[in-house]
Each structure stands twice: as C-alpha cells, then as structure tokens.
Amino acid sequence: MNLVLYNDLSREKEKFVPLNEGRVTFYSCGPTVYDFFHIGNARPFIVFDVLRRYMEHIGYKVTFVQNFTDIDDKMIGRANAEGITVAELAERFIAEYRKDACALGIHDPSVAPRATDNMIEIIDTIKKIIEKGHAYEVKTSGENGDVYFDVRSWPSYGKLAKQSLEELESGARVDVGEIKRDPLDFALWKAEKPGEPSWDSPWGKGRPGWHIECSAMSSKYLGETIDIHSGGVDLIFPHHENEIAQSEAATGKPFVRTWLHNGFLLIDKEKMSKSLGNFMTARAALEKYPPLAIRLFMLSAHYRSPINFAPDGLEQSVGGVKRLRNCWGDLQNARQNQSARQNQKTATDKDASEFIRELHALDARFYEAMNDDFNTAGAIGAVFEVVKLINIQIRQSCLPSAFFDEAEAALRKFDAILGVIGIDDESANEKSKEVKDEESEIERLIEERAAARKSKNFERSDEIRASLLSLGIVLEDTPQGTKWKREL
Ligand code: AMP
Ligand code: ZN
C-alpha cells in the first residue's frame, strides 16, 4: 500500500505505515454539542470519514474515534441561558448532530465517547501528569483547586505549532479567575464555580479543562500511541499542541504518529465560525442543497486547502451529482434494454477489452490521487472521466455484459468510498423532484413539438429542438416516436 499523507508534525509528506500492521488507530476531534453544527464544522466530519472509508477500502482495519465535547464554557453558558442542565443540552445536540451527520452520509465512528462519561480516565491522566512533575495544583477557594500544565517544564512544547515559547508567550492570555504561575500554562482541571456542574476529584469539586478529554479518551480507546489524529487547522494551537504535551507527559511515549488538519471552509474569504456570526448550520445547508452535492462540494477540494462556501460552487456540485446519478441510471436502463434485446436474439456480443483497458487506467488515476495525500479532488476528476467513458459506450446499441459489470463495479466502488452517487440510498435513488420536474418538462415539449410538426408549424418545432439542445438535451426522431438523451 502506497498511501502518503502530509504530517503536520514533520511538515512533510510521509509514507503511511501504521504502528501495527493492517490496523489503524484514528482519533478525530468531534463537535462541542452546545448548538447545531455549522457547515464549516461539517468539513472535518465529512473528509475524515472518507479517509477512514478509503483506508478500510485498501484493507486496513480502522478503529475510528470521534468524541463529543459535552462539558466546557460554551456548554455551561448555553445551558444556563436556556434554563436546562448541561447534560440535557448535550443530549439534545448529540441527537441533532446525529440527524445532520446521517443526512450528510457520514458513517458512525467506531466509538463516539463523551467527555463526561470518561471522568475517571480524565482524572487519572491529570494525576499522572502531576506525578511526573509537569502539572501543579493551585487552591482557589476552600477545598477546591485548579490544576495547570506547567508548559515551561516541557521542553518540546510548540513542536506541532512550530513556535518557540517566546513567540507563544506574546499571544498567551490569562482568563478571568485563572491563578496560574505562567501565562503559557493551561488548565487541566477547573475548580467548581457557582452554577456549574462538577465532579469529585483529588483537587476537590471541579471539571476538566477542554484539552485533557482528548488525551484521556484517545489513550483509553486507541492506546498510548496512535496512528492518526485529525481536526480543523484551528485546532493545531492550542488544542493539539496541548494534547501532545499532556499525553506525552503522562505516558512518556509519542502520542500521535501522523497529524492531519483540514483547511477552513470560508465564507466571503473569512473562516466560517459561530463567533463571527457568518455561519450557516448544516441543517440549513441541507434544506438548500442535496446532501450528495454538499459532499461532492467538500471533496472537490484538497482537504488541506481552504474552500469558499459560495452558491456558484454548490450549484456546480449539484450539476456534478446529477451527471453521476444520470450515468448510473442510464447504465441501469441500458442494461435492461440490452437484456430485452438479447431475449429477442438480436444482439451480438462485442469485445469490451478496449473499454476495460481505459477504465482500468482511470481507476489507477483514482488510486494515485487518493494515495497522494488523500487528494479527493484529483480522484473525483478521475471519476468524472469514467462517467464520460461510460456515457460514450452507452450510446452504442450492442454492449457486452462485461462492460456493464465493470462499469457498475467501478461506480459502486467510488460511491462506497466517496458517497457522492447515492447508489444504495433509497431516497437518493429516487429521482429528485428537480430531476423529475425537468423530465416532465422535456416530455411536454416533445409533445408540443410533435403537435407543431403535425400542423406544419416548423418554426415552433425547430425552436423547441434548439431550446432543448441549449440545455444539453438531444432529440432523436425514430419510427417509434421522438426519443431524448442528454449530451455528454
Ligand atoms: P468545534 O465544535 O468548534 O470544536 O469544531 C468541530 C470541528 O470543526 C473542529 O475540527 C474544527 O477545527 C472544525 N472547524 C471549525 N470551523 C471550521 C471551518 N470554518 N472550516 C473547517 N473546519 C472548521
Ligand atoms: Zn480534541
């Protein structure tokens, strides 16, 4: 297997070699469940799910963990504003996450742990870091205390962000109520405050800081050293830098072998984010665009490049999905027509070897792109070339069954990995309302053209043919009536 991935730790493309042959341990930072997720958040959820599917396709047994952050400042703020508990808020938005993720065709992770279900492991990890001398407790009030990671005690801090302590120090901040020794230090445990949920710990009542949950859950479900850890590029610092420091301080072992980060989804050239208010929820996007088109849009760019969420790009993806689905539909129709003809013993078997040779060359291009740092954009380019090739063949009247077998297998495989054709998706298999409306309009115009020809109104009949042609619809008059097909 020749998969090469760009590792943000080395800043180089590296041949991917898992720690244990044939198995991949993969952790991806999941959503903070205080609200609906936006379409920018959907980018890592979609792309890393596809990477996991691809790895499974090429033969790895992948354990894929994506967590739910169900306790943090945002969770507490929103729950208090709504007058509900943090647990109720989490329950609600985990359910909403699952609805949208399912609608977007994102597969369930192998494990989707919640921070609050892993308090024992979180507390244990913090204890280990204190024992190794890399964290300290500061009493806040009475029995309760905060625990901070002592950044200056950890010489390799900054190795992922590629920043020195001096550079990091200039951007460091001390939040209200924090009593740490150094502005660079970050909270592992926060003492209880009025109106906040809390758990018992060796440092009194309190709750974990954000970063520690991923260190604790990653090692619980995947082991102390894992193959891949991913998330959006905004997580490099401080979240992932802190995860490395915590995990490596606790275990003394390398935490992650390959770090992957997706680029931002932008809107008007700015990062889409809740705090900027420039976001569209995935729910709203799904009302506007078909899920397959959203997936095609996300996968049509390299995962590390920024992408601009703009109507033009999405409309292009809507058209792209139509082409893919039409190709699959036409292939099914052609196969049915073919077997009907074969029943009448009119067909002769032709050689499919030339088609198969070209198909295999494009298939190789698909793998080449996927193996080259998971270049889904290039892979999708190869998929559309396959569609073009199939569409050319389908125009022929006699087709060998090997053609259908190979063409169907190729499209099925692309769909299983990328999820942009929707072959086995019952609802996606139904033609969309848009396609149905378009087809009935074409039929109506064909009837109007036949009537115009009958009454010798050739001006109108030519006009109809020309207007359909401008939409890529070609009419063919046959003794059995007028047939139509889509131009390539
Ligand atoms: P959050 O729920 O804020 O922790 O974010 C969940 C995931 O979405 C993280 O991996 C973030 O890095 C990622 N993310 C947030 N905003 C964007 C964006 N505009 N484009 C791409 N990824 C994003
Ligand atoms: Zn995380």
Side-chain angles (χ1 to χ4, degrees):
M1 278 166 247
N2 300 311
L3 177 60
V4 164
L5 292 171
Y6 181 88
N7 185 352
D8 274 308
L9 193 57
S10 64
R11 299 263 164 107
E12 272 175 25
K13 281 189 186 179
E14 295 170 355
K15 183 172 161 45
F16 176 72
V17 182
L19 193 57
N20 295 303
E21 203 185 329
R23 304 180 75 87
V24 176
T25 45
F26 191 159
Y27 187 101
S28 202
C29 290
T32 307
V33 283
Y34 72 109
D35 204 345
F36 292 94
F37 68 92
H38 64 63
I39 198 69
N41 301 134
R43 190 174 188 194
F45 306 151
I46 292 174
V47 299
F48 296 122
D49 172 49
V50 171
L51 176 58
R52 169 241 194 143
R53 291 194 209 186
Y54 180 65
M55 291 182 135
E56 284 170 346
H57 170 77
I58 58 178
Y60 290 115
K61 174 152 185 1
V62 183
T63 310
F64 183 73
V65 176
Q66 187 184 286
N67 66 303
F68 287 115
T69 297
D70 61 349
I71 176 75
D72 83 334
D73 293 346
K74 284 182 283 191
M75 296 284 307
I76 295 167
R78 177 80 187 252
N80 287 344
E82 303 235 337
I84 56 173
T85 64
V86 170
E88 284 164 341
L89 181 77
E91 215 50 62
R92 175 174 169 212
F93 283 110
I94 286 174
E96 301 293 9
Y97 169 87
R98 291 207 165 111
K99 267 189 223 163
D100 291 336
C102 176
L104 283 168
I106 298 164
H107 289 181
D108 285 341
S110 322
V111 193
R114 305 176 188 194
T116 60
D117 287 338
N118 288 278
M119 278 304 159
I120 293 172
E121 289 75 8
I122 289 173
I123 291 169
D124 270 358
T125 312
I126 299 173
K127 270 170 38 188
K128 277 187 202 150
I129 303 171
I130 296 176
E131 274 160 31
K132 303 262 175 90
H134 297 292
Y136 57 90
E137 184 192 356
V138 183
K139 282 269 177 267
T140 52
S141 61
E143 288 304 294
N144 302 336
D146 287 348
V147 179
Y148 295 96
F149 189 93
D150 179 359
V151 169
R152 289 193 191 274
S153 77
W154 194 250
S156 64
Y157 191 82
K159 71 176 174 184
L160 181 67
K162 305 278 181 286
Q163 299 224 32
S164 66
L165 290 187
E166 289 63 46
E167 286 165 318
L168 292 170
E169 194 169 18
S170 63
R173 45 178 260 203
V174 182
D175 286 336
V176 188
E178 283 192 317
I179 34 175
K180 50 195 185 184
R181 290 182 198 155
D182 190 296
L184 280 174
D185 296 349
F186 58 90
L188 301 177
W189 190 261
K190 300 181 178 194
E192 181 186 43
K193 291 198 193 95
E196 291 189 355
S198 63
W199 288 260
D200 287 325
S201 79
W203 318 287
K205 283 192 176 304
R207 63 177 171 98
W210 169 33
H211 318 292
I212 195 72
E213 64 174 273
C214 291
S215 286
M217 293 190 278
S218 175
S219 87
K220 174 177 176 183
Y221 294 100
L222 298 169
E224 290 178 336
T225 300
I226 69 165
D227 293 308
I228 298 178
H229 192 122
S230 65
V233 67
D234 53 332
L235 298 189
I236 291 182
F237 190 85
H239 186 51
H240 288 165
E241 192 68 54
N242 292 353
E243 282 187 35
I244 297 176
Q246 295 164 163
S247 293
E248 298 191 351
T251 68
K253 295 187 186 137
F255 175 40
V256 171
R257 290 156 64 87
T258 305
W259 282 96
L260 305 178
H261 294 96
N262 64 274
F264 285 139
L265 180 126
L266 309 173
I267 191 152
D268 295 330
K269 303 203 171 88
E270 253 189 310
K271 177 196 174 194
M272 181 181 281
S273 79
K274 289 258 166 67
S275 53
L276 291 171
N278 61 353
F279 65 92
M280 180 191 271
T281 60
R283 183 72 52 94
L286 282 160
E287 275 163 22
K288 232 172 150 181
Y289 302 103
L292 295 175
I294 296 176
R295 292 181 64 86
L296 185 63
F297 171 77
M298 295 282 185
L299 298 168
S300 292
H302 189 278
Y303 75 97
R304 286 196 287 114
S305 314
I307 44 169
N308 209 22
F309 189 75
D312 278 5
L314 279 137
E315 286 308 330
Q316 220 174 319
S317 299
V318 171
V321 168
K322 237 191 235 179
R323 279 181 63 205
L324 295 167
R325 293 183 58 73
N326 284 340
C327 178
W328 177 258
D330 291 349
L331 199 58
Q332 303 310 301
N333 290 340
R335 184 164 230 173
Q336 273 167 19
N337 292 343
Q338 182 91 333
S339 51
R341 268 198 301 264
Q342 270 162 357
N343 285 342
Q344 296 160 8
K345 299 218 178 317
T346 53
T348 52
D349 223 12
K350 278 206 317 194
D351 183 16
S353 58
E354 175 64 12
F355 166 78
I356 291 171
R357 199 184 53 73
E358 286 182 49
L359 182 68
H360 287 183
L362 291 171
D363 201 47
R365 258 178 61 187
F366 173 85
Y367 284 106
E368 215 174 284
M370 292 296 269
N371 285 340
D372 180 12
D373 192 24
F374 185 46
N375 179 4
T376 52
I380 286 170
V383 171
F384 278 104
E385 288 299 313
V386 168
V387 164
K388 219 190 251 177
L389 183 67
I390 294 173
N391 286 347
I392 292 169
Q393 296 289 312
I394 250 173
R395 291 172 155 200
Q396 299 178 13
S397 54
C398 284
L399 287 162
S401 55
F403 159 76
F404 291 107
D405 296 344
E406 291 270 345
E408 283 184 16
L411 292 181
R412 273 197 180 281
K413 179 180 74 187
F414 298 145
D415 196 32
I417 298 167
L418 302 167
V420 291
I421 314 180
I423 291 174
D424 286 326
D425 176 344
E426 292 293 323
S427 57
N429 259 337
E430 260 181 38
K431 281 183 187 160
S432 70
K433 185 177 171 312
E434 205 183 334
V435 173
K436 278 190 205 155
D437 288 351
E438 189 194 19
E439 289 183 357
S440 57
E441 178 62 4
I442 295 168
E443 298 296 345
R444 193 191 64 73
L445 286 169
I446 288 175
E447 275 172 34
E448 191 189 330
R449 177 171 166 269
R453 287 194 344 157
K454 215 166 175 183
S455 57
K456 307 230 176 315
N457 183 354
F458 295 114
E459 200 182 327
R460 177 65 188 142
S461 71
D462 287 349
E463 195 178 84
I464 292 172
R465 177 191 279 277
S467 81
L468 283 171
L469 190 60
S470 72
L471 299 171
I473 307 295
V474 185
L475 300 185
E476 198 183 340
D477 293 315
T478 74
Q480 290 80 37
T482 304
K483 300 229 162 86
W484 65 270
K485 64 182 171 197
R486 283 175 217 277
E487 219 181 16
L488 290 183

